[in-house]
Amino acid sequence: MLSRKVNIGIIGAGNIANEHIKGFLQFPEQCEITAITDTKLFVAQERARQHGIKHAISTTEELIARDDVDAIIICVPNQFHAPLAIQAMEAGKHIVMEKPMGINGEAARQILKASEAYDRIVMIGHQRRWESIAMQIKEQIDRGELGRIYSAKTGLFRRKGIPGWGTWFTRSELSGGGPLIDIGVHMLDLALYLMGNPKPVSVYGAAYAEFGPRRKGIGDWGIPNWNGIYDVEDFATALIRMEDGSTLSLEVSWAVHMDTDNTPFIHLMGTEGGASYRQDYGKLLTEKFDQPSELLLRVPEGDEGERIRFCRHFLECIAEGKQPLTSARTGWTNNVIMDAIYESSRSGNEVKLKWD
């Protein structure tokens, strides 16, 4: 725990780092962003100039070793999450980790073990748990209004949205996968959370690469590298079964021929009620007097936003010495499930999960 301001360092100065910076800058009394680094030093220097960050550092090693850095935000390709997080925790730093926690389940397990060994806070960047509609639904779930949630369906269909073709996003050895590990992990994490974190026991899944290898389905995010590699999926689907008998259906795409509004969704089916959620729109559904009944959920006017609440929670965890809502254990759980989806797709068989 720290009784003074939390000094934050950032590894990786790209677009997602900018989102974190804007969030933490809302808490000048609780924290200060003191240093930033990037493999392209000029990018770090420009980000530092833009936001008034004191130090643009040339190497990750130098940033991690600094005495004026208490916590580190890791915003780099997935392959480097585990080695950087472990190195930072060894140096006594707390961590905000962009999703997914690891490139695979083994990397995530190493991060979890390090967080326990060094007693450091690791918070995964699943800010959707702090979206207003999701929080309103969770409040009703915790009150028992939905009863027992026995099934859920979640996903996100991008019709034409492959990011940065040929960059690290589409190269398995750097990213670990395609839309499943990129955007699907957000929906997996939020659905499990809203279901009450039941224990997953088996997975049946499939992954397809029907667009990317043909250089179709390209989105407008990132700059393509046509000399690069595309060896990940562009669509994934899975059925996850829990120890209590409940099920979760997950579908996600970067590119697909279907009628879609490119909006994340979750449908929760409970014995006493249900909930539907689509970004800034939600409904609670039940039956009253033998008739269907529903309540529309709205984002309150002037809502501060999920990233502000995310940043506040991280600072509170450091100040109070408590585990974050999106802890290293939840990140590891997500990675294990995604590994199983890919394994099931390769083998064509159901995969039983092992939690040792």
Side-chain angles (χ1 to χ4, degrees):
M1 292 186 291
L2 290 172
S3 57
R4 54 174 173 78
K5 275 188 180 183
V6 176
N7 292 323
I8 296 173
I10 300 177
I11 298 177
N15 291 330
I16 196 62
N18 199 44
E19 295 302 313
H20 286 290
I21 292 169
K22 289 187 293 185
F24 281 105
L25 284 177
Q26 303 305 308
F27 300 93
E29 299 300 319
Q30 289 82 37
C31 70
E32 180 179 358
I33 302 172
T34 57
I36 187 168
T37 187
D38 194 277
T39 53
K40 298 176 180 177
L41 180 58
F42 71 90
V43 176
Q45 289 171 333
E46 173 56 26
R47 197 69 78 190
R49 185 201 63 76
Q50 180 183 2
H51 294 292
I53 300 171
K54 293 178 181 177
H55 304 288
I57 309 299
S58 59
T59 69
T60 57
E61 290 79 10
E62 182 183 348
L63 185 143
I64 289 172
R66 292 184 69 95
D67 292 333
D68 61 350
V69 171
D70 306 306
I72 290 177
I73 305 173
I74 297 177
C75 308
V76 296
N78 304 340
Q79 181 193 32
F80 306 109
H81 285 190
L84 288 175
I86 293 168
Q87 183 183 353
M89 284 186 278
E90 287 175 344
K93 317 301 184 184
H94 300 294
I95 304 291
V96 168
M97 176 82 68
E98 254 309 309
K99 54 77 190 170
M101 186 165 90
I103 193 170
N104 54 37
E106 175 55 28
R109 187 181 68 86
Q110 293 173 7
I111 296 170
L112 174 61
K113 289 178 64 178
S115 71
E116 295 172 343
Y118 297 108
D119 193 24
R120 296 293 88 185
I121 291 167
V122 175
M123 183 167 168
I124 314 305
H126 288 301
Q127 74 279 353
R128 290 195 181 276
R129 294 199 192 192
W130 284 272
E131 288 178 342
S132 175
I133 300 298
M135 293 175 68
Q136 293 178 56
I137 292 173
K138 186 64 166 67
E139 181 180 359
Q140 298 306 313
I141 291 170
D142 291 345
R143 290 176 55 182
E145 297 295 331
L146 272 63
R148 176 177 58 85
I149 298 175
Y150 57 88
S151 191
K153 183 177 181 64
T154 188
L156 170 53
F157 296 109
R158 288 182 180 168
R159 183 171 178 180
K160 191 176 187 298
I162 293 176
W165 195 103
T167 68
W168 72 267
F169 272 100
T170 68
R171 187 170 179 176
S172 181
E173 68 173 338
L174 295 178
S175 65
L180 175 61
I181 205 167
D182 176 31
I183 53 180
V185 66
H186 270 310
M187 307 317 299
L188 173 64
D189 178 81
L190 182 57
L192 289 172
Y193 171 62
L194 294 176
M195 292 176 74
N197 294 312
K199 182 179 180 180
V201 293
S202 67
V203 169
Y204 188 84
Y208 304 87
E210 303 297 336
F211 288 77
R214 297 186 292 144
R215 299 189 179 186
K216 293 183 177 294
I218 310 300
D220 57 7
W221 194 95
I223 300 173
N225 173 15
W226 302 118
N227 294 316
I229 294 173
Y230 189 102
D231 64 354
V232 297
E233 83 282 359
D234 40 53
F235 177 86
T237 179
L239 181 66
I240 304 157
R241 187 172 181 85
M242 313 299 172
E243 189 174 52
D244 63 3
S246 61
T247 56
L248 171 60
S249 172
L250 170 67
E251 292 181 302
V252 63
S253 73
W254 274 344
V256 65
H257 291 316
M258 68 175 291
D259 185 12
T260 175
D261 60 3
N262 300 288
T263 301
F265 65 87
I266 293 180
H267 302 290
L268 301 167
M269 289 151 267
T271 55
E272 305 304 318
S276 289
Y277 159 78
R278 300 186 72 88
Q279 193 78 13
D280 294 333
Y281 168 88
K283 277 186 178 180
L284 296 172
L285 308 104
T286 188
E287 183 178 305
K288 295 288 186 182
F289 309 111
D290 293 326
Q291 297 295 322
S293 176
E294 58 188 52
L295 174 66
L296 182 64
L297 302 175
R298 295 181 174 89
V299 177
E301 186 176 350
D303 180 65
E304 66 181 355
E306 65 276 6
R307 288 197 177 272
I308 301 299
R309 288 187 283 267
F310 175 93
C311 295
R312 181 184 293 114
H313 182 68
F314 180 65
L315 295 173
E316 288 174 350
C317 288
I318 293 177
E320 299 172 18
K322 65 182 182 181
Q323 281 297 307
L325 197 59
T326 53
S327 66
R329 187 162 294 275
T330 68
W332 173 61
T333 299
N334 294 333
N335 268 119
V336 169
I337 293 171
M338 291 187 296
D339 277 4
I341 294 171
Y342 287 130
E343 182 182 343
S344 178
S345 182
R346 288 189 293 268
S347 69
N349 300 317
E350 179 185 39
V351 173
K352 301 292 179 67
L353 300 178
K354 300 177 181 178
W355 298 104
D356 51 8

